[in-house]
Amino acid sequence: MPVLDIILWPFRTTAFTFAGATTSWGEVAGFVTGALCVWLVARQNAWNWPIGILNNLAFLVLFATSGLYADSGLQVVYVVLALYGWWAWLRGGVEHTPLPVSRTTRAQWVWLLASGVAGTLLLVWVLTTFSNSTVPWADAVTTVLSLLATWGQTRKKVECWWLWIAADVIYVPLYAYKDLWLTAILYVGFMALCVLGLRNWTKSLREDERERVVAA
């Protein structure tokens, strides 16, 4: 048996079967680490980044074996962004202090929109030309939304939660279509955690804004 197959075997084996749909241990690992990661992000806890890296590795294998190639490749980018985000949250503020929550500027929104459109079109072309993907548009859109949301998350931009919610609305039926039912359920939970994160980050932002007004 090839070494790669030996490494991936635990992720591919069936953990349980429900209503005729099988769930692998890789999907279970993605469920647990993913839920913990988003909960920690909502609480502005920097430990979300290393937990998120474990989640990325689990999903990399899961999505690759499910034909979601863009989402699988996205996990590699997530690992790089997670390393940057971990540093930024701890040392990315003024004079290397912890990074505060802030709003996305108009210029940043223009950059995000242009990058989102270009990235989606490029990914659709790649997926339709070089893969057997059956869901190129959904795969591409969710991949790009997730990348833009992750950038906002690394910089603690409060609007990143709206991008995550938009991605999750598409992810849930996409994963259900691919028979990844546990992951689909996880992303329903993600939407609830995104609302919690949006509320917590907005509260933190308003408190910081009030403190700056008082200090002035």
Side-chain angles (χ1 to χ4, degrees):
M1 181 181 293
V3 175
L4 183 59
D5 287 340
I6 295 175
I7 295 173
L8 298 182
W9 177 78
F11 291 90
R12 293 171 173 169
T13 54
T14 300
F16 59 88
T17 301
F18 179 75
T22 60
T23 298
S24 67
W25 282 110
E27 192 172 0
V28 172
F31 182 98
V32 174
T33 55
L36 179 58
C37 175
V38 177
W39 182 75
L40 290 171
V41 174
R43 296 176 62 84
Q44 295 190 58
N45 189 314
W47 278 102
N48 82 86
W49 297 109
I51 297 298
I53 290 174
L54 295 177
N55 176 256
N56 301 148
L57 297 176
F59 276 153
L60 186 152
V61 176
L62 177 66
F63 294 151
T65 56
S66 300
L68 295 171
Y69 304 115
D71 272 342
S72 180
L74 177 62
Q75 305 309 309
V76 178
V77 181
Y78 275 162
V79 171
V80 176
L81 288 173
L83 294 172
Y84 168 71
W86 199 357
W87 172 86
W89 276 37
L90 297 175
R91 306 282 290 173
V94 178
E95 298 182 353
H96 300 297
T97 57
L99 190 68
V101 178
S102 61
R103 299 185 187 278
T104 306
T105 66
R106 180 175 298 180
Q108 288 170 337
W109 273 122
V110 171
W111 175 82
L112 289 171
L113 178 61
S115 300
V117 172
T120 299
L121 294 176
L122 176 62
L123 270 179
V124 169
W125 175 76
V126 170
L127 290 171
T128 54
T129 304
F130 301 104
S131 81
N132 60 350
S133 175
T134 58
V135 285
W137 279 99
D139 200 1
V141 169
T142 50
T143 296
V144 170
L145 280 173
S146 297
L147 280 173
L148 298 181
T150 301
W151 174 83
Q153 183 181 318
T154 64
R155 301 307 305 166
K156 279 196 178 181
K157 298 295 182 180
V158 69
E159 294 84 3
C160 78
W161 292 108
W162 290 111
L163 295 175
W164 279 126
I165 291 170
D168 292 346
V169 166
I170 304 173
Y171 270 134
V172 172
L174 175 61
Y175 292 147
Y177 174 74
K178 285 292 184 175
D179 288 329
L180 298 173
W181 290 101
L182 185 62
T183 303
I185 293 170
L186 172 64
Y187 274 72
V188 172
F190 277 175
M191 281 192 279
L193 288 172
C194 284
V195 173
L196 174 64
L198 178 62
R199 187 189 68 179
N200 289 348
W201 283 30
T202 301
K203 179 181 178 181
S204 178
L205 176 63
R206 288 172 177 170
E207 289 174 351
D208 288 344
E209 289 174 341
R210 283 196 296 267
E211 289 177 2
R212 285 196 292 270
V213 169
V214 171

